Amino acid sequence: MTHNIDLDTLSLEQLKSLQQDLARQIESYETRKRSEAAKKTAEFAAQFGYSLEELLETTKSRTSKSPMTVKPKYRNPEDPNVTWSGRGRMPVWMVKKLEEGANAEDFLIKKI
């Protein structure tokens, strides 16, 4: 299904409304697909005499480990309480400092 919408002719308000409508449609689609997948998976598990919950519990018990905490590696010089482990998305404060010409090493937490 293709919709021919000339986006260049829409106002900002119309574009934002279209964006919200699309987000709702995408969420609805994903919810339906997730539900279908769960139903089919439950049916498949039932063929072996298990419920989906039983299989998920078995998987959880094998893989459940205590969450690993990662020590911070970098510290915000302007607020020492704000740290970053170096994993995941770089925090805004560090991005700004690097754009200003600082080096990541400037923010390393020194080990004593």
Side-chain angles (χ1 to χ4, degrees), residues 64-76:
S64 65
K65 297 178 184 175
S66 60
M68 191 170 87
T69 56
V70 180
K71 292 182 181 179
K73 187 174 179 180
Y74 301 97
R75 184 178 313 279
N76 183 345

PDB file of all heavy atoms in Angstrom, residues 64-76:
ATOM      1  N   SER A  64      20.157 -16.174  34.695  1.00  0.00           N
ATOM      2  CA  SER A  64      20.062 -15.058  35.634  1.00  0.00           C
ATOM      3  C   SER A  64      21.326 -14.978  36.474  1.00  0.00           C
ATOM      4  O   SER A  64      21.694 -15.898  37.189  1.00  0.00           O
ATOM      5  CB  SER A  64      18.826 -15.190  36.518  1.00  0.00           C
ATOM      6  OG  SER A  64      18.940 -16.327  37.327  1.00  0.00           O
ATOM      7  N   LYS A  65      21.984 -13.906  36.324  1.00  0.00           N
ATOM      8  CA  LYS A  65      23.175 -13.607  37.102  1.00  0.00           C
ATOM      9  C   LYS A  65      22.903 -12.279  37.772  1.00  0.00           C
ATOM     10  O   LYS A  65      22.082 -11.501  37.318  1.00  0.00           O
ATOM     11  CB  LYS A  65      24.403 -13.476  36.201  1.00  0.00           C
ATOM     12  CG  LYS A  65      24.770 -14.732  35.462  1.00  0.00           C
ATOM     13  CD  LYS A  65      25.967 -14.481  34.559  1.00  0.00           C
ATOM     14  CE  LYS A  65      26.288 -15.705  33.745  1.00  0.00           C
ATOM     15  NZ  LYS A  65      27.351 -15.457  32.793  1.00  0.00           N
ATOM     16  N   SER A  66      23.598 -12.018  38.825  1.00  0.00           N
ATOM     17  CA  SER A  66      23.420 -10.717  39.437  1.00  0.00           C
ATOM     18  C   SER A  66      23.940  -9.673  38.458  1.00  0.00           C
ATOM     19  O   SER A  66      24.949  -9.882  37.790  1.00  0.00           O
ATOM     20  CB  SER A  66      24.160 -10.642  40.770  1.00  0.00           C
ATOM     21  OG  SER A  66      25.527 -10.867  40.585  1.00  0.00           O
ATOM     22  N   PRO A  67      23.240  -8.572  38.372  1.00  0.00           N
ATOM     23  CA  PRO A  67      23.673  -7.550  37.415  1.00  0.00           C
ATOM     24  C   PRO A  67      25.099  -7.088  37.735  1.00  0.00           C
ATOM     25  O   PRO A  67      25.435  -6.836  38.881  1.00  0.00           O
ATOM     26  CB  PRO A  67      22.687  -6.400  37.595  1.00  0.00           C
ATOM     27  CG  PRO A  67      21.654  -6.879  38.539  1.00  0.00           C
ATOM     28  CD  PRO A  67      22.097  -8.178  39.128  1.00  0.00           C
ATOM     29  N   MET A  68      25.894  -7.044  36.700  1.00  0.00           N
ATOM     30  CA  MET A  68      27.278  -6.643  36.876  1.00  0.00           C
ATOM     31  C   MET A  68      27.355  -5.115  36.885  1.00  0.00           C
ATOM     32  O   MET A  68      26.885  -4.462  35.963  1.00  0.00           O
ATOM     33  CB  MET A  68      28.121  -7.192  35.727  1.00  0.00           C
ATOM     34  CG  MET A  68      29.588  -7.047  35.953  1.00  0.00           C
ATOM     35  SD  MET A  68      30.534  -7.954  34.727  1.00  0.00           S
ATOM     36  CE  MET A  68      30.642  -6.754  33.435  1.00  0.00           C
ATOM     37  N   THR A  69      27.908  -4.583  37.937  1.00  0.00           N
ATOM     38  CA  THR A  69      28.086  -3.140  37.981  1.00  0.00           C
ATOM     39  C   THR A  69      29.470  -2.817  37.441  1.00  0.00           C
ATOM     40  O   THR A  69      30.442  -3.521  37.728  1.00  0.00           O
ATOM     41  CB  THR A  69      27.935  -2.587  39.411  1.00  0.00           C
ATOM     42  OG1 THR A  69      28.853  -3.264  40.255  1.00  0.00           O
ATOM     43  CG2 THR A  69      26.526  -2.789  39.926  1.00  0.00           C
ATOM     44  N   VAL A  70      29.514  -1.773  36.671  1.00  0.00           N
ATOM     45  CA  VAL A  70      30.763  -1.358  36.056  1.00  0.00           C
ATOM     46  C   VAL A  70      31.224  -0.087  36.750  1.00  0.00           C
ATOM     47  O   VAL A  70      30.455   0.860  36.909  1.00  0.00           O
ATOM     48  CB  VAL A  70      30.565  -1.105  34.540  1.00  0.00           C
ATOM     49  CG1 VAL A  70      31.867  -0.678  33.905  1.00  0.00           C
ATOM     50  CG2 VAL A  70      30.005  -2.343  33.879  1.00  0.00           C
ATOM     51  N   LYS A  71      32.467  -0.087  37.149  1.00  0.00           N
ATOM     52  CA  LYS A  71      33.009   1.086  37.830  1.00  0.00           C
ATOM     53  C   LYS A  71      33.110   2.243  36.852  1.00  0.00           C
ATOM     54  O   LYS A  71      33.419   2.058  35.675  1.00  0.00           O
ATOM     55  CB  LYS A  71      34.385   0.780  38.403  1.00  0.00           C
ATOM     56  CG  LYS A  71      34.354  -0.208  39.540  1.00  0.00           C
ATOM     57  CD  LYS A  71      35.727  -0.432  40.094  1.00  0.00           C
ATOM     58  CE  LYS A  71      35.677  -1.449  41.208  1.00  0.00           C
ATOM     59  NZ  LYS A  71      36.998  -1.708  41.766  1.00  0.00           N
ATOM     60  N   PRO A  72      32.880   3.451  37.350  1.00  0.00           N
ATOM     61  CA  PRO A  72      33.009   4.611  36.469  1.00  0.00           C
ATOM     62  C   PRO A  72      34.449   4.811  36.022  1.00  0.00           C
ATOM     63  O   PRO A  72      35.391   4.520  36.756  1.00  0.00           O
ATOM     64  CB  PRO A  72      32.526   5.785  37.329  1.00  0.00           C
ATOM     65  CG  PRO A  72      32.523   5.298  38.723  1.00  0.00           C
ATOM     66  CD  PRO A  72      32.472   3.802  38.694  1.00  0.00           C
ATOM     67  N   LYS A  73      34.588   5.258  34.806  1.00  0.00           N
ATOM     68  CA  LYS A  73      35.912   5.471  34.240  1.00  0.00           C
ATOM     69  C   LYS A  73      36.201   6.968  34.059  1.00  0.00           C
ATOM     70  O   LYS A  73      37.346   7.393  34.112  1.00  0.00           O
ATOM     71  CB  LYS A  73      35.976   4.754  32.883  1.00  0.00           C
ATOM     72  CG  LYS A  73      37.323   4.745  32.236  1.00  0.00           C
ATOM     73  CD  LYS A  73      37.319   3.894  30.976  1.00  0.00           C
ATOM     74  CE  LYS A  73      38.665   3.884  30.298  1.00  0.00           C
ATOM     75  NZ  LYS A  73      38.673   3.065  29.093  1.00  0.00           N
ATOM     76  N   TYR A  74      35.143   7.745  33.810  1.00  0.00           N
ATOM     77  CA  TYR A  74      35.294   9.180  33.561  1.00  0.00           C
ATOM     78  C   TYR A  74      34.452   9.967  34.555  1.00  0.00           C
ATOM     79  O   TYR A  74      33.392   9.531  34.983  1.00  0.00           O
ATOM     80  CB  TYR A  74      34.826   9.523  32.143  1.00  0.00           C
ATOM     81  CG  TYR A  74      35.586   8.784  31.066  1.00  0.00           C
ATOM     82  CD1 TYR A  74      35.080   7.612  30.507  1.00  0.00           C
ATOM     83  CD2 TYR A  74      36.814   9.253  30.606  1.00  0.00           C
ATOM     84  CE1 TYR A  74      35.783   6.925  29.520  1.00  0.00           C
ATOM     85  CE2 TYR A  74      37.517   8.576  29.624  1.00  0.00           C
ATOM     86  CZ  TYR A  74      36.995   7.417  29.087  1.00  0.00           C
ATOM     87  OH  TYR A  74      37.685   6.747  28.112  1.00  0.00           O
ATOM     88  N   ARG A  75      34.922  11.173  34.894  1.00  0.00           N
ATOM     89  CA  ARG A  75      34.200  12.040  35.831  1.00  0.00           C
ATOM     90  C   ARG A  75      34.045  13.429  35.221  1.00  0.00           C
ATOM     91  O   ARG A  75      34.975  13.955  34.620  1.00  0.00           O
ATOM     92  CB  ARG A  75      34.980  12.126  37.144  1.00  0.00           C
ATOM     93  CG  ARG A  75      34.279  12.926  38.215  1.00  0.00           C
ATOM     94  CD  ARG A  75      35.035  12.960  39.537  1.00  0.00           C
ATOM     95  NE  ARG A  75      35.523  11.684  40.003  1.00  0.00           N
ATOM     96  CZ  ARG A  75      34.802  10.757  40.654  1.00  0.00           C
ATOM     97  NH1 ARG A  75      33.529  10.971  40.886  1.00  0.00           N
ATOM     98  NH2 ARG A  75      35.366   9.636  41.049  1.00  0.00           N
ATOM     99  N   ASN A  76      32.870  13.995  35.386  1.00  0.00           N
ATOM    100  CA  ASN A  76      32.590  15.350  34.915  1.00  0.00           C
ATOM    101  C   ASN A  76      33.312  16.319  35.849  1.00  0.00           C
ATOM    102  O   ASN A  76      33.036  16.354  37.040  1.00  0.00           O
ATOM    103  CB  ASN A  76      31.078  15.602  34.927  1.00  0.00           C
ATOM    104  CG  ASN A  76      30.701  16.963  34.394  1.00  0.00           C
ATOM    105  OD1 ASN A  76      31.527  17.849  34.249  1.00  0.00           O
ATOM    106  ND2 ASN A  76      29.432  17.134  34.102  1.00  0.00           N
TER     107      ASN A  76
END
